[in-house]
Amino acid sequence: MFSSFIKTIQRNITNKSNALSFFLGLALVFCYAPFSQYWLLAIILPSWLYSMQGKAPKAAAKQGFIFALAWFSAGISWVHVSIDQFGGLPLAVSILLMLLLCLYLALFLTLACYLAARFSHQQQLNLWLLLPIWLFAEFLRGVFLTGFPWLTLGYSQIDGPLASFAPVIGEKGITALVIIISIVIVELIKQRQVLLNISLLALISMASVIFQQLTWVQTTGKTVKTLLVQANIKQEMKWAPELTWPSMLKYLDLTRQHYPAELIIWPESAITAVEPSHQAQDFLQLAQSSALLNNSAIISGIIDYNLATKNYYNNILVLGKSSADDSQGSYHYNNQNRYSKHHLLPIGEFVPFGDWLRPLAPFFNLPMSSFSRGNYVQNNLTANGYQLLPLICFEVAFAEQLSANFSEQTDLLLTVSNDAWFGDSHGPHQHLEIVRMRALEFGRPFLRATNNGITAVVDHQGQISHQIPQFQEAVLTADVALVSGLTPYARYTRFIDFSIPLLLLTFAVLRQRQRYYNTKNRR
């Protein structure tokens, strides 16, 4: 069955049109980190859209499916590292699981292409109608089955001229602009409404230049001395019981060598003893004493087994000083100055249909794969008098969650992660790319601490100011400039995210009606 399915895919790829969609989809990976060739998108996407014009619904859906399947197969190939190395599955089965994930992700663009052809004039794919439907499909991809909004088009532009739009319309708005520009290029090639399309390109270019000159938030002149620890502990050793104390003490020893610092960040589940065990409590009190002695606050990931609810949570907590004048330390078990991860990673942190899947293979019983979800809205962490908005691992891909917890009083954005699951792949680079986009959208510095990289500090303009190389035991120290004010996107996130596709849908429908009546009048 598996071999026949592969042969079907191969047979489809041999068709010229199918082959073009497949190879253009594969090429999209070079637009994202670590390759970061953002300009390629201006060739790849118009080329594919040009080939899609006028296709009937089924043909449009087929080409959309092939393009998206190749896009995600290359773009999220890093997921296979964790499945292959830690899943305990035969290679053929791990490849099949990876293929199924890519097939699922491809369905959203497939549906968009089908609908854009089915509901267009003469039932032939209308690129302007595809635009808003594609955006709605991306929204569904970000929420369905908890969502996986990775690798959307806007992220590829973080180093390009369109990045200046991020504080105004966000990454989703940049995705819309990328598609608009691609459609305009197609129409110019077809010599349709040349003056109008050139004017539209000129308007976008002018707005990009203007936005580059505008300052949405202001530096306050104050800095916070931060210290981020990358211990580089191998994933296969991380949860070994005999290494619990050595691993935790490694973080504390690396920290002690680099005091003083106001904020000290350890990565996701850096403390491998589970709260509220005696091991965890003993170490937490030791770390808190160390932080207090040095007028610091330590922020660390930890796993919590909540005694009241009998559930596991992936948490971040604060040790040491919560406020500038705190001399006692804020930590005690189940205190409120902590964050519980809301967006859990499917399979890795929870297993959909777990009663059916867990007996099938060790992959569905990965360590810590039965977490409970924290609240969607939670208070910022308070550490040494600073307000930090925390996110764990791939939660940085959900701009709306960040927005729900963001306020003008938020000083810093924070994410902790453990990308050791993905080895030397492009996954951690894409992860940092998303962090950069969030920093630019919301106009706040972003601190990112990971177990083995990429640990970095990103400024409020989305630029990496400090970085530790991957797979090195190292400590990063940085004086991070604080800012005040709000970007337009931070102020109106939800309104902007929903109004853009609605406005574009209205435009596409009105444009289609005009074309219909023009055709009718010519008859």
Side-chain angles (χ1 to χ4, degrees):
M1 180 179 176
F2 178 62
S3 59
S4 63
F5 182 70
I6 295 296
K7 287 178 181 178
T8 301
I9 293 177
Q10 290 174 338
R11 190 163 53 250
N12 279 318
I13 292 173
T14 57
N15 178 284
K16 287 184 179 180
S17 183
N18 295 346
L20 177 65
S21 290
F22 185 78
F23 287 113
L24 288 174
L26 284 179
L28 276 180
V29 71
F30 296 106
C31 301
Y32 300 92
F35 311 103
S36 303
Q37 302 301 310
Y38 68 87
W39 56 272
L40 279 175
L41 200 56
I43 300 172
I44 295 168
L45 194 56
S47 299
W48 181 67
L49 291 176
Y50 185 90
S51 72
M52 290 288 287
Q53 291 181 108
K55 288 192 178 293
K58 288 185 179 179
K62 182 179 181 181
Q63 297 305 311
F65 174 76
I66 293 171
F67 179 78
L69 178 62
W71 176 13
F72 291 111
S73 295
I76 64 165
S77 58
W78 47 269
V79 175
H80 185 257
V81 176
S82 62
I83 298 176
D84 182 50
Q85 294 186 8
F86 305 103
L89 297 172
L91 180 61
V93 178
S94 66
I95 292 174
L96 177 60
L97 281 174
M98 187 66 204
L99 180 60
L100 289 174
L101 174 60
C102 295
L103 289 171
Y104 161 72
L105 295 173
L107 291 178
F108 294 94
L109 183 56
T110 304
L111 179 63
C113 291
Y114 176 82
L115 294 176
R118 174 67 180 79
F119 293 105
S120 64
H121 182 50
Q122 297 179 337
Q123 292 200 6
Q124 295 179 340
L125 183 71
N126 182 318
L127 297 184
W128 288 108
L129 186 58
L130 174 62
L131 167 61
I133 296 176
W134 189 336
L135 297 179
F136 282 119
E138 291 289 58
F139 167 77
L140 290 176
R141 182 160 72 89
V143 298
F144 190 65
L145 295 179
T146 75
F148 192 73
W150 204 275
L151 221 66
T152 52
L153 296 175
Y155 289 121
S156 68
Q157 302 303 300
I158 187 63
D159 290 313
L162 293 181
S164 62
F165 285 90
V168 185
I169 56 176
E171 182 274 331
K172 293 181 178 66
I174 296 176
T175 294
L177 283 178
V178 165
I179 301 172
I180 289 171
I181 292 170
S182 299
I183 295 173
V184 167
I185 292 173
V186 171
E187 296 215 327
L188 287 173
I189 293 172
K190 286 283 189 177
Q191 296 185 341
R192 295 174 183 163
Q193 298 181 305
V194 174
L195 183 60
L196 178 62
N197 284 310
I198 289 177
S199 299
L200 185 54
L201 283 180
L203 182 63
I204 293 172
S205 300
M206 190 182 306
S208 174
V209 172
I210 292 172
F211 289 153
Q212 288 175 25
Q213 310 306 316
L214 294 178
T215 303
W216 303 107
V217 297
Q218 298 77 37
T219 55
T220 63
K222 298 179 180 178
T223 61
V224 53
K225 188 173 182 59
T226 60
L227 188 155
L228 289 76
V229 181
Q230 180 173 293
N232 195 33
I233 297 172
K234 292 183 179 180
Q235 186 59 38
E236 57 269 26
M237 299 171 60
K238 185 175 175 67
W239 294 102
E242 67 275 13
L243 296 176
T244 297
W245 270 101
S247 295
M248 296 189 299
L249 288 174
K250 185 175 185 178
Y251 280 102
L252 192 55
D253 291 340
L254 287 170
T255 299
R256 284 169 170 162
Q257 296 170 27
H258 294 86
Y259 279 128
E262 295 174 89
L263 297 177
I264 297 155
I265 316 296
W266 296 350
E268 181 181 13
S269 62
I271 302 172
T272 49
V274 177
E275 271 191 304
S277 67
H278 291 301
Q279 270 189 324
Q281 293 304 304
D282 288 346
F283 178 77
L284 290 169
Q285 292 303 325
L286 176 64
Q288 174 151 272
S289 298
S290 176
L292 287 171
L293 185 63
N294 291 278
N295 294 313
S296 299
I298 295 174
I299 302 172
S300 176
I302 191 171
I303 306 304
D304 170 32
Y305 177 68
N306 190 286
L307 295 173
T309 63
K310 308 298 182 184
N311 293 323
Y312 284 98
Y313 294 89
N314 190 353
N315 280 359
I316 302 175
L317 51 73
V318 179
L319 304 169
K321 301 181 68 171
S322 60
S323 62
D325 57 357
D326 181 11
S327 60
Q328 302 299 315
S330 65
Y331 175 76
H332 59 82
Y333 177 61
N334 212 23
N335 69 335
Q336 296 305 304
N337 197 16
R338 64 174 62 215
Y339 171 79
S340 297
K341 187 175 183 181
H342 173 78
H343 271 104
L344 301 177
L345 185 66
I347 306 302
E349 293 177 313
F350 83 99
V351 179
F353 317 110
D355 291 341
W356 298 344
L357 294 178
R358 287 188 187 279
L360 295 180
F363 174 68
F364 298 110
N365 289 282
L366 290 171
M368 307 300 175
S369 61
S370 297
F371 284 111
S372 295
R373 199 180 304 277
N375 293 331
Y376 186 72
V377 177
Q378 299 180 51
N379 292 330
N380 286 190
L381 299 176
T382 303
N384 219 342
Y386 299 101
Q387 298 287 318
L388 293 93
L389 192 159
L391 298 165
I392 298 178
C393 195
F394 95 127
E395 286 187 311
V396 296
F398 297 87
E400 63 279 4
Q401 182 184 343
L402 195 160
S403 173
N405 293 280
F406 185 84
S407 74
E408 195 163 1
Q409 285 68 50
T410 299
D411 295 304
L412 299 161
L413 306 178
L414 166 70
T415 182
V416 297
S417 186
N418 177 24
D419 287 347
W421 291 101
F422 307 113
D424 189 15
S425 68
H426 48 253
H429 299 273
Q430 292 175 2
H431 208 166
L432 181 57
E433 184 174 64
I434 295 172
V435 167
R436 293 179 59 197
M437 183 63 75
R438 293 290 92 85
L440 184 56
E441 287 172 334
F442 289 88
R444 289 294 186 275
F446 218 132
L447 311 178
R448 182 173 193 259
T450 69
N451 172 31
N452 69 341
I454 305 168
T455 296
V457 173
V458 177
D459 67 21
H460 65 282
Q461 297 177 316
Q463 299 301 312
I464 300 171
S465 61
H466 301 77
Q467 180 177 328
I468 299 176
Q470 282 183 286
F471 314 114
Q472 290 187 19
E473 176 187 308
V475 171
L476 185 158
T477 59
D479 291 322
V480 181
L482 299 178
V483 299
S484 63
L486 294 174
T487 65
Y489 185 73
R491 196 181 295 274
Y492 305 113
T493 307
R494 287 184 175 236
F495 174 77
I496 292 170
D497 285 350
F498 283 100
S499 63
I500 288 175
L502 287 173
L503 287 171
L504 292 172
L505 179 61
T506 303
F507 167 78
V509 170
L510 291 175
R511 192 173 186 274
Q512 182 164 273
R513 286 188 64 184
Q514 183 184 20
R515 291 183 64 185
Y516 170 76
Y517 286 119
N518 289 342
T519 304
K520 189 175 180 181
N521 291 334
R522 281 197 295 269
R523 292 175 184 172

